[in-house]
Amino acid sequence: MRNEIDEELTSNIHFHISGEGFDPKTGYNLKYLLSSLNSVQNIVEKTYTFVSDKERFTNADEDNLKIKGRL
């Protein structure tokens, strides 16, 4: 089994999403914004699951992993 994940471990990862659909002056294309955020969440959850040596991302994992966004 891989190393246990420390309950106190905190990491910040910053993603910058850009393109025509993500211009704050003209507004955000909600379809593309939601799709991009969903993709980032899936990547983070799959990475967490792999590092934790688990087969599934559970409700308990969701409590341990906080994903926050800013616009």
Side-chain angles (χ1 to χ4, degrees):
M1 185 169 169
R2 291 185 186 88
N3 293 338
E4 295 281 325
I5 295 181
D6 185 355
E7 293 178 6
E8 304 276 330
L9 181 63
T10 301
S11 296
N12 293 316
I13 301 172
H14 299 268
F15 290 94
H16 179 80
I17 303 172
S18 62
E20 291 179 17
F22 304 103
D23 186 354
K25 293 177 185 170
T26 60
Y28 297 97
N29 184 318
L30 195 56
K31 177 182 176 181
Y32 297 137
L33 179 62
L34 293 175
S35 177
S36 296
L37 293 174
N38 190 44
S39 294
V40 169
Q41 180 178 352
N42 286 335
I43 291 168
V44 170
E45 288 178 1
K46 288 178 187 216
T47 302
Y48 180 92
T49 303
F50 177 78
V51 169
S52 301
D53 200 30
K54 297 181 178 183
E55 292 185 21
R56 295 181 183 210
F57 189 80
T58 65
N59 289 339
D61 295 326
E62 191 170 324
D63 291 339
N64 292 330
L65 180 66
K66 304 292 184 225
I67 302 172
K68 297 180 181 181
R70 292 184 189 172
L71 294 178

